[in-house]
Amino acid sequence: MALIDVIEYEGDNDVLVYKYPHSDFSTMSQLIVRESQEVILYKDGKMLDAFAPGKYTLHTGNIPLLSKVVNLPFGGNSPFKCDVYFINKTTILNYNWGTSTPARVMDMQYQLIFDIGASGVVTIKVCNPYDLMRKIVGTQRELKAEICLNYFRENISAK
């Protein structure tokens, strides 16, 4: 644990959600949220707060110089932990999609069988980070746009 941690993410644009790898931050840690991001903070398994772009000071209760003494009753682990998730809010462009196999459809009027499929280009954008976190991400460390695209591709093919 550093005297003051800097918590930020400068990753690939195809990553929709990124969980910061550390959960033990010193008091006065600096959280940096970029214009294209939103950060959701979890403590004790609950979504506590969302942070818009800017720089924030987190008051965690972890004092680096006293951490060994304070953490002794907890087996050397800090009792003051939180999870930080960075949500990418940019529009991710030009993902090709299509049904994996054609579907056979019978035209009832002419009694003909056709093989049909669908394809196109899609853009992906996170509009509601809370729902994304609750319904899709859960406790995953990362969610890439390609994973979401595969999910939609399978659902479209099934319908």
Side-chain angles (χ1 to χ4, degrees), residues 24-101:
D24 185 9
F25 306 111
S26 63
T27 196
M28 303 300 285
S29 291
Q30 300 296 302
L31 174 65
I32 298 171
V33 183
R34 289 181 171 58
E35 279 294 327
S36 61
Q37 299 173 335
E38 184 171 325
V39 167
I40 294 180
L41 186 76
Y42 282 80
K43 181 145 174 49
D44 299 327
K46 296 179 183 174
M47 277 190 219
L48 285 187
D49 209 350
F51 294 89
K55 183 177 180 182
Y56 302 91
T57 300
L58 303 179
H59 302 281
T60 63
N62 288 334
I63 303 168
L65 301 175
L66 300 176
S67 64
K68 289 185 181 181
V69 174
V70 172
N71 298 344
L72 194 59
F74 301 98
N77 296 319
S78 170
F80 307 106
K81 291 188 177 193
C82 60
D83 293 322
V84 177
Y85 284 87
F86 287 86
I87 315 296
N88 181 355
K89 297 194 75 180
T90 61
T91 302
I92 301 170
L93 303 171
N94 297 331
Y95 271 93
N96 293 322
W97 68 273
T99 55
S100 54
T101 57

Side-chain angles (χ1 to χ4, degrees), residues 85-127:
Y85 284 87
F86 287 86
I87 315 296
N88 181 355
K89 297 194 75 180
T90 61
T91 302
I92 301 170
L93 303 171
N94 297 331
Y95 271 93
N96 293 322
W97 68 273
T99 55
S100 54
T101 57
R104 300 204 112 187
V105 177
M106 178 169 228
D107 183 324
M108 300 308 269
Q109 183 176 357
Y110 297 107
Q111 299 299 310
L112 297 173
I113 297 176
F114 294 100
D115 288 335
I116 64 167
S119 64
V121 177
V122 67
T123 60
I124 299 173
K125 181 176 172 126
V126 176
C127 293

